[in-house]
Short mmCIF file of all heavy atoms in Angstrom, two decimals:
data_model
loop_
_atom_site.label_atom_id
_atom_site.label_comp_id
_atom_site.label_asym_id
_atom_site.label_seq_id
_atom_site.Cartn_x
_atom_site.Cartn_y
_atom_site.Cartn_z
N SER N 1 90.47 -103.67 -154.23
CA SER N 1 91.88 -104.06 -154.16
C SER N 1 92.19 -105.31 -154.96
O SER N 1 93.35 -105.66 -155.13
CB SER N 1 92.28 -104.28 -152.70
OG SER N 1 91.49 -105.29 -152.11
N ASP N 2 91.16 -106.01 -155.45
CA ASP N 2 91.36 -107.20 -156.28
C ASP N 2 91.22 -106.86 -157.76
O ASP N 2 91.08 -107.76 -158.59
CB ASP N 2 90.37 -108.29 -155.90
CG ASP N 2 91.07 -109.52 -155.34
OD1 ASP N 2 92.27 -109.68 -155.61
OD2 ASP N 2 90.42 -110.33 -154.65
N ILE N 3 91.24 -105.57 -158.08
CA ILE N 3 91.19 -105.10 -159.47
C ILE N 3 92.45 -104.29 -159.74
O ILE N 3 92.86 -103.48 -158.92
CB ILE N 3 89.94 -104.23 -159.71
CG1 ILE N 3 88.66 -105.02 -159.43
CG2 ILE N 3 89.95 -103.67 -161.14
CD1 ILE N 3 87.40 -104.17 -159.48
N ALA N 4 93.06 -104.52 -160.88
CA ALA N 4 94.26 -103.76 -161.25
C ALA N 4 94.11 -103.22 -162.66
O ALA N 4 93.51 -103.86 -163.53
CB ALA N 4 95.51 -104.63 -161.17
N VAL N 5 94.65 -102.03 -162.87
CA VAL N 5 94.71 -101.41 -164.19
C VAL N 5 96.19 -101.22 -164.53
O VAL N 5 96.92 -100.57 -163.78
CB VAL N 5 93.97 -100.06 -164.21
CG1 VAL N 5 94.12 -99.40 -165.58
CG2 VAL N 5 92.50 -100.25 -163.86
N ALA N 6 96.62 -101.77 -165.65
CA ALA N 6 98.03 -101.70 -166.05
C ALA N 6 98.16 -100.94 -167.36
O ALA N 6 97.41 -101.19 -168.31
CB ALA N 6 98.62 -103.11 -166.20
N ALA N 7 99.12 -100.02 -167.41
CA ALA N 7 99.39 -99.25 -168.62
C ALA N 7 100.89 -99.26 -168.89
O ALA N 7 101.69 -99.36 -167.96
CB ALA N 7 98.90 -97.81 -168.45
N ARG N 8 101.26 -99.13 -170.15
CA ARG N 8 102.69 -99.10 -170.47
C ARG N 8 103.35 -97.85 -169.90
O ARG N 8 104.47 -97.91 -169.38
CB ARG N 8 102.88 -99.15 -172.00
CG ARG N 8 104.35 -99.03 -172.45
CD ARG N 8 105.15 -100.21 -171.92
NE ARG N 8 106.57 -100.13 -172.14
CZ ARG N 8 107.22 -100.66 -173.18
NH1 ARG N 8 106.54 -101.28 -174.13
NH2 ARG N 8 108.52 -100.59 -173.26
N PHE N 9 102.65 -96.72 -170.00
CA PHE N 9 103.20 -95.45 -169.57
C PHE N 9 102.57 -94.99 -168.27
O PHE N 9 101.35 -95.06 -168.10
CB PHE N 9 103.00 -94.38 -170.64
CG PHE N 9 103.53 -94.76 -171.99
CD1 PHE N 9 102.66 -94.91 -173.08
CD2 PHE N 9 104.87 -95.00 -172.18
CE1 PHE N 9 103.14 -95.27 -174.32
CE2 PHE N 9 105.36 -95.36 -173.43
CZ PHE N 9 104.50 -95.50 -174.50
N ARG N 10 103.36 -94.51 -167.34
CA ARG N 10 102.85 -94.03 -166.06
C ARG N 10 101.87 -92.88 -166.26
O ARG N 10 100.89 -92.75 -165.53
CB ARG N 10 104.02 -93.60 -165.18
CG ARG N 10 103.61 -93.12 -163.80
CD ARG N 10 104.81 -92.95 -162.90
NE ARG N 10 105.41 -94.25 -162.58
CZ ARG N 10 106.52 -94.40 -161.89
NH1 ARG N 10 107.18 -93.33 -161.46
NH2 ARG N 10 106.99 -95.60 -161.62
N GLU N 11 102.12 -92.05 -167.27
CA GLU N 11 101.24 -90.91 -167.53
C GLU N 11 99.83 -91.37 -167.86
O GLU N 11 98.84 -90.81 -167.35
CB GLU N 11 101.80 -90.08 -168.68
CG GLU N 11 100.92 -88.90 -169.07
CD GLU N 11 101.40 -88.20 -170.33
OE1 GLU N 11 102.33 -88.72 -170.99
OE2 GLU N 11 100.84 -87.14 -170.65
N PHE N 12 99.70 -92.40 -168.70
CA PHE N 12 98.37 -92.89 -169.06
C PHE N 12 97.70 -93.55 -167.85
O PHE N 12 96.49 -93.44 -167.65
CB PHE N 12 98.45 -93.86 -170.23
CG PHE N 12 97.11 -94.19 -170.84
CD1 PHE N 12 96.11 -93.24 -170.94
CD2 PHE N 12 96.85 -95.47 -171.32
CE1 PHE N 12 94.89 -93.54 -171.50
CE2 PHE N 12 95.64 -95.78 -171.88
CZ PHE N 12 94.64 -94.82 -171.98
N GLY N 13 98.51 -94.22 -167.02
CA GLY N 13 97.95 -94.79 -165.80
C GLY N 13 97.41 -93.71 -164.88
O GLY N 13 96.36 -93.89 -164.24
N SER N 14 98.10 -92.59 -164.80
CA SER N 14 97.63 -91.48 -163.96
C SER N 14 96.32 -90.91 -164.50
O SER N 14 95.42 -90.56 -163.72
CB SER N 14 98.69 -90.38 -163.91
OG SER N 14 99.88 -90.85 -163.30
N ARG N 15 96.20 -90.82 -165.82
CA ARG N 15 94.94 -90.34 -166.41
C ARG N 15 93.81 -91.31 -166.10
O ARG N 15 92.68 -90.89 -165.80
CB ARG N 15 95.10 -90.18 -167.92
CG ARG N 15 96.03 -89.05 -168.32
CD ARG N 15 96.15 -88.96 -169.83
NE ARG N 15 97.14 -87.96 -170.22
CZ ARG N 15 97.51 -87.73 -171.47
NH1 ARG N 15 96.96 -88.44 -172.46
NH2 ARG N 15 98.41 -86.79 -171.74
N ALA N 16 94.11 -92.61 -166.16
CA ALA N 16 93.09 -93.61 -165.82
C ALA N 16 92.68 -93.47 -164.36
O ALA N 16 91.49 -93.55 -164.02
CB ALA N 16 93.61 -95.01 -166.10
N ALA N 17 93.66 -93.24 -163.47
CA ALA N 17 93.37 -93.07 -162.05
C ALA N 17 92.46 -91.85 -161.83
O ALA N 17 91.49 -91.92 -161.06
CB ALA N 17 94.66 -92.93 -161.26
N ASP N 18 92.77 -90.74 -162.50
CA ASP N 18 91.96 -89.53 -162.36
C ASP N 18 90.54 -89.77 -162.85
O ASP N 18 89.56 -89.32 -162.22
CB ASP N 18 92.59 -88.38 -163.14
CG ASP N 18 93.90 -87.90 -162.52
OD1 ASP N 18 94.13 -88.19 -161.33
OD2 ASP N 18 94.69 -87.26 -163.24
N ARG N 19 90.43 -90.48 -163.96
CA ARG N 19 89.10 -90.73 -164.53
C ARG N 19 88.27 -91.63 -163.61
O ARG N 19 87.07 -91.41 -163.43
CB ARG N 19 89.26 -91.38 -165.91
CG ARG N 19 87.97 -91.60 -166.66
CD ARG N 19 87.32 -90.28 -167.06
NE ARG N 19 86.04 -90.51 -167.71
CZ ARG N 19 84.91 -90.73 -167.04
NH1 ARG N 19 84.90 -90.72 -165.71
NH2 ARG N 19 83.79 -90.94 -167.69
N LEU N 20 88.90 -92.64 -163.01
CA LEU N 20 88.19 -93.51 -162.08
C LEU N 20 87.77 -92.74 -160.83
O LEU N 20 86.65 -92.91 -160.33
CB LEU N 20 89.07 -94.71 -161.70
CG LEU N 20 89.31 -95.75 -162.81
CD1 LEU N 20 90.43 -96.70 -162.42
CD2 LEU N 20 88.02 -96.54 -163.09
N LYS N 21 88.66 -91.90 -160.31
CA LYS N 21 88.33 -91.10 -159.13
C LYS N 21 87.17 -90.15 -159.42
O LYS N 21 86.29 -89.94 -158.58
CB LYS N 21 89.55 -90.32 -158.66
CG LYS N 21 90.57 -91.19 -157.92
CD LYS N 21 91.67 -90.37 -157.27
CE LYS N 21 92.64 -89.83 -158.28
NZ LYS N 21 93.83 -89.18 -157.64
N ASP N 22 87.17 -89.56 -160.61
CA ASP N 22 86.07 -88.67 -160.99
C ASP N 22 84.74 -89.41 -161.01
O ASP N 22 83.68 -88.81 -160.79
CB ASP N 22 86.33 -88.06 -162.38
CG ASP N 22 87.46 -87.05 -162.36
OD1 ASP N 22 87.82 -86.59 -161.25
OD2 ASP N 22 87.98 -86.72 -163.45
N ALA N 23 84.81 -90.73 -161.28
CA ALA N 23 83.59 -91.55 -161.31
C ALA N 23 83.23 -92.10 -159.93
O ALA N 23 82.31 -92.91 -159.80
CB ALA N 23 83.78 -92.71 -162.30
N GLY N 24 83.98 -91.67 -158.90
CA GLY N 24 83.68 -92.10 -157.54
C GLY N 24 84.26 -93.45 -157.17
O GLY N 24 83.85 -94.07 -156.18
N ILE N 25 85.22 -93.92 -157.95
CA ILE N 25 85.85 -95.23 -157.69
C ILE N 25 87.20 -95.00 -157.01
O ILE N 25 88.04 -94.29 -157.55
CB ILE N 25 86.03 -96.01 -159.01
CG1 ILE N 25 84.67 -96.30 -159.64
CG2 ILE N 25 86.81 -97.31 -158.77
CD1 ILE N 25 84.74 -96.90 -161.03
N PRO N 26 87.43 -95.59 -155.84
CA PRO N 26 88.71 -95.37 -155.15
C PRO N 26 89.87 -96.03 -155.90
O PRO N 26 89.71 -97.12 -156.47
CB PRO N 26 88.49 -96.04 -153.79
CG PRO N 26 87.46 -97.10 -154.05
CD PRO N 26 86.56 -96.52 -155.11
N VAL N 27 91.01 -95.37 -155.90
CA VAL N 27 92.18 -95.91 -156.59
C VAL N 27 93.41 -95.79 -155.68
O VAL N 27 93.45 -94.95 -154.79
CB VAL N 27 92.47 -95.20 -157.93
CG1 VAL N 27 91.31 -95.33 -158.88
CG2 VAL N 27 92.81 -93.74 -157.69
N VAL N 28 94.37 -96.65 -155.92
CA VAL N 28 95.64 -96.64 -155.20
C VAL N 28 96.75 -96.83 -156.23
O VAL N 28 96.66 -97.70 -157.09
CB VAL N 28 95.70 -97.78 -154.17
CG1 VAL N 28 97.10 -97.89 -153.57
CG2 VAL N 28 94.68 -97.57 -153.06
N LEU N 29 97.78 -96.00 -156.16
CA LEU N 29 98.91 -96.12 -157.07
C LEU N 29 99.93 -97.08 -156.47
O LEU N 29 100.42 -96.86 -155.35
CB LEU N 29 99.54 -94.76 -157.33
CG LEU N 29 98.62 -93.68 -157.91
CD1 LEU N 29 99.41 -92.39 -158.15
CD2 LEU N 29 97.99 -94.15 -159.22
N LEU N 30 100.28 -98.14 -157.21
CA LEU N 30 101.22 -99.12 -156.69
C LEU N 30 102.59 -98.51 -156.43
O LEU N 30 103.32 -98.96 -155.55
CB LEU N 30 101.35 -100.30 -157.66
CG LEU N 30 100.29 -101.41 -157.55
CD1 LEU N 30 100.64 -102.54 -158.48
CD2 LEU N 30 100.15 -101.91 -156.13
N LYS N 31 102.95 -97.48 -157.18
CA LYS N 31 104.27 -96.87 -157.00
C LYS N 31 104.41 -96.23 -155.62
O LYS N 31 105.53 -95.99 -155.15
CB LYS N 31 104.52 -95.82 -158.08
CG LYS N 31 103.69 -94.56 -157.99
CD LYS N 31 104.06 -93.57 -159.08
CE LYS N 31 103.25 -92.28 -158.96
NZ LYS N 31 103.56 -91.54 -157.73
N ASP N 32 103.28 -95.97 -154.95
CA ASP N 32 103.32 -95.37 -153.62
C ASP N 32 103.50 -96.41 -152.52
O ASP N 32 103.54 -96.06 -151.34
CB ASP N 32 102.02 -94.58 -153.37
CG ASP N 32 101.88 -93.38 -154.30
OD1 ASP N 32 102.92 -92.90 -154.78
OD2 ASP N 32 100.75 -92.94 -154.54
N GLY N 33 103.60 -97.69 -152.91
CA GLY N 33 103.80 -98.75 -151.92
C GLY N 33 102.68 -98.85 -150.92
O GLY N 33 102.91 -98.80 -149.70
N PRO N 34 101.43 -99.00 -151.36
CA PRO N 34 100.30 -98.99 -150.44
C PRO N 34 100.28 -100.22 -149.53
O PRO N 34 100.81 -101.28 -149.88
CB PRO N 34 99.09 -99.00 -151.38
CG PRO N 34 99.57 -99.71 -152.60
CD PRO N 34 101.00 -99.27 -152.75
N ASP N 35 99.66 -100.07 -148.38
CA ASP N 35 99.41 -101.21 -147.51
C ASP N 35 98.45 -102.16 -148.22
O ASP N 35 97.52 -101.72 -148.89
CB ASP N 35 98.79 -100.72 -146.19
CG ASP N 35 98.62 -101.85 -145.20
OD1 ASP N 35 97.59 -102.55 -145.27
OD2 ASP N 35 99.51 -102.03 -144.35
N PRO N 36 98.66 -103.48 -148.09
CA PRO N 36 97.77 -104.43 -148.77
C PRO N 36 96.30 -104.24 -148.43
O PRO N 36 95.43 -104.58 -149.24
CB PRO N 36 98.29 -105.79 -148.29
CG PRO N 36 99.71 -105.56 -147.93
CD PRO N 36 99.76 -104.16 -147.39
N SER N 37 96.01 -103.71 -147.24
CA SER N 37 94.62 -103.54 -146.83
C SER N 37 94.01 -102.24 -147.35
O SER N 37 92.81 -102.01 -147.17
CB SER N 37 94.53 -103.56 -145.31
OG SER N 37 95.27 -102.49 -144.75
N ALA N 38 94.81 -101.38 -147.99
CA ALA N 38 94.29 -100.10 -148.49
C ALA N 38 93.22 -100.35 -149.56
O ALA N 38 93.45 -101.10 -150.50
CB ALA N 38 95.42 -99.26 -149.05
N GLU N 39 92.08 -99.70 -149.40
CA GLU N 39 90.99 -99.90 -150.35
C GLU N 39 91.23 -99.07 -151.60
O GLU N 39 91.57 -97.90 -151.54
CB GLU N 39 89.65 -99.51 -149.73
CG GLU N 39 88.47 -99.77 -150.65
CD GLU N 39 87.14 -99.37 -150.05
OE1 GLU N 39 87.15 -98.76 -148.96
OE2 GLU N 39 86.10 -99.66 -150.67
N GLY N 40 91.03 -99.69 -152.76
CA GLY N 40 91.17 -98.97 -154.01
C GLY N 40 91.65 -99.86 -155.13
O GLY N 40 92.40 -100.82 -154.92
N VAL N 41 91.20 -99.54 -156.34
CA VAL N 41 91.68 -100.22 -157.54
C VAL N 41 93.17 -99.91 -157.71
O VAL N 41 93.58 -98.75 -157.62
CB VAL N 41 90.88 -99.76 -158.77
CG1 VAL N 41 91.47 -100.35 -160.05
CG2 VAL N 41 89.41 -100.14 -158.63
N ARG N 42 93.97 -100.93 -157.95
CA ARG N 42 95.42 -100.73 -158.08
C ARG N 42 95.76 -100.25 -159.49
O ARG N 42 95.32 -100.85 -160.47
CB ARG N 42 96.16 -102.04 -157.82
CG ARG N 42 96.55 -102.32 -156.36
CD ARG N 42 95.51 -102.00 -155.35
NE ARG N 42 96.00 -102.30 -153.99
CZ ARG N 42 95.34 -101.99 -152.90
NH1 ARG N 42 94.17 -101.37 -152.98
NH2 ARG N 42 95.84 -102.28 -151.71
N ILE N 43 96.56 -99.19 -159.57
CA ILE N 43 97.01 -98.62 -160.84
C ILE N 43 98.52 -98.80 -160.93
O ILE N 43 99.24 -98.44 -159.98
CB ILE N 43 96.66 -97.12 -160.96
CG1 ILE N 43 95.19 -96.87 -160.61
CG2 ILE N 43 96.99 -96.61 -162.35
CD1 ILE N 43 94.20 -97.44 -161.59
#
């Protein structure tokens, strides 16, 4: 949760999220308004 990935386009951010999840890394999309305690790299 202390790591963030920022992209200009939401589409590229989604691709990054999918690629991280495929590698077994949890991700959370900021657009979904996650709880601060939710585990996952912020996209």
Side-chain angles (χ1 to χ4, degrees):
S1 60
D2 244 339
I3 300 173
V5 177
R8 177 63 187 266
F9 306 116
R10 182 170 292 175
E11 178 188 8
F12 191 37
S14 297
R15 292 179 185 175
D18 291 341
R19 185 66 183 83
L20 289 167
K21 284 190 286 188
D22 289 344
I25 297 172
V27 300
V28 172
L29 302 181
L30 276 185
K31 70 178 182 65
D32 295 336
D35 185 275
S37 62
E39 183 181 7
V41 174
R42 271 42 180 173
I43 310 293

